[in-house]
Amino acid sequence: MNLIMFGPPGGGKGTYSSRISERYGIPHVATGDIFRREVSEGSDLGKKIKGYLDRGELVPDEVVNEVVERRLSEEDCRDGFILDGYPRTLPQAEALDEMAKIDLVIVLEVSEEVIINRLSNRRICRRCGEIYNLRSMPPKREGVCDKCGGELYQREDDRPEVIRNRLEEYRERTQPLIEFYRRRNIVREIVVREEKPVDEVMRMIYSALESSLPAEV
Ligand SMILES: [Zn+2]
């Protein structure tokens, strides 16, 4: 079962993809994670990627495609995978068609209110990088990291006005891709209008998956 997950920043797609990965025993292939690992290992590819990121440029399609193709040809992807963060452009989607047949595309529709609530309450430790949420996972002492005592701060990206721009950018970038797959009738939308426990969203996702896929899955 070859899946793609699309979702807005702060929409929870990383969490949901991991859950799908555990349940169906298929790897969660997140291009962001692969890039971070290559960069931290200092591989040739990592150096190349770091160059683009340091210059504030997007990693070009050819490079991303190569990374994904290599990952999908690994043994553990034989029975399927869930892609997170790829494809991001139409040329990438076309390249992906050459690599694998996509069975289903999950599109998370999360209301702007839910996302702004989640992201604007996020705080990060300056010292160790631990992530808190003032509502759902607050630190024991205001503004101080439980783990290392470091100072907590809010990323510039997580301020409501910036979040709105990020969402707008996401919609513009993703819409053509969703249309691309919608023509094949393999898009399933999961609508999250208000804050919901992960398990509840997962039930919606599983039922969308299981009603759309052949019985052998
Ligand atoms: Zn800390």
Side-chain angles (χ1 to χ4, degrees), residues 39 125 130 196:
V39 170
C125 173
E130 184 74 9
K196 282 199 164 68

Side-chain angles (χ1 to χ4, degrees), residues 125 127-130 145 147-150:
C125 173
R127 202 182 293 164
C128 74
E130 184 74 9
C145 176
K147 296 219 163 143
C148 76

Side-chain angles (χ1 to χ4, degrees), residues 1-2 15 21 36 44 50 70 76 81 94 104 111 135 141 180-181 188 197-198 207:
M1 147 166 101
N2 301 338
T15 306
S21 162
R36 270 188 291 277
D44 286 347
K50 190 169 182 300
R70 207 170 55 188
D76 63 337
F81 50 78
E94 283 157 6
L104 211 64
S111 78
R135 289 186 157 193
R141 262 183 63 205
F180 177 86
Y181 291 111
R188 298 292 175 273
V198 172
S207 96

Side-chain angles (χ1 to χ4, degrees), residues 114-186:
V114 168
I115 291 171
I116 288 178
N117 246 321
R118 273 186 205 165
L119 293 184
S120 64
N121 282 296
R122 186 156 77 166
R123 295 294 182 274
I124 301 169
C125 173
R126 263 189 214 291
R127 202 182 293 164
C128 74
E130 184 74 9
I131 297 171
Y132 296 86
N133 186 292
L134 299 185
R135 289 186 157 193
S136 55
M137 226 188 9
K140 293 197 186 75
R141 262 183 63 205
E142 198 186 319
V144 180
C145 176
D146 293 348
K147 296 219 163 143
C148 76
E151 183 202 354
L152 303 185
Y153 76 106
Q154 181 177 38
R155 275 176 43 179
E156 198 56 44
D157 267 9
D158 288 346
R159 295 179 194 278
E161 57 286 5
V162 185
I163 296 169
R164 283 197 191 90
N165 289 338
R166 288 167 68 196
L167 289 175
E168 187 56 37
E169 192 264 341
Y170 163 78
R171 277 191 286 264
E172 278 176 21
R173 176 166 56 72
T174 316
Q175 208 48 49
L177 291 168
I178 296 173
E179 290 309 318
F180 177 86
Y181 291 111
R182 210 191 290 283
R183 276 179 241 128
R184 300 181 197 174
N185 201 22
I186 55 171

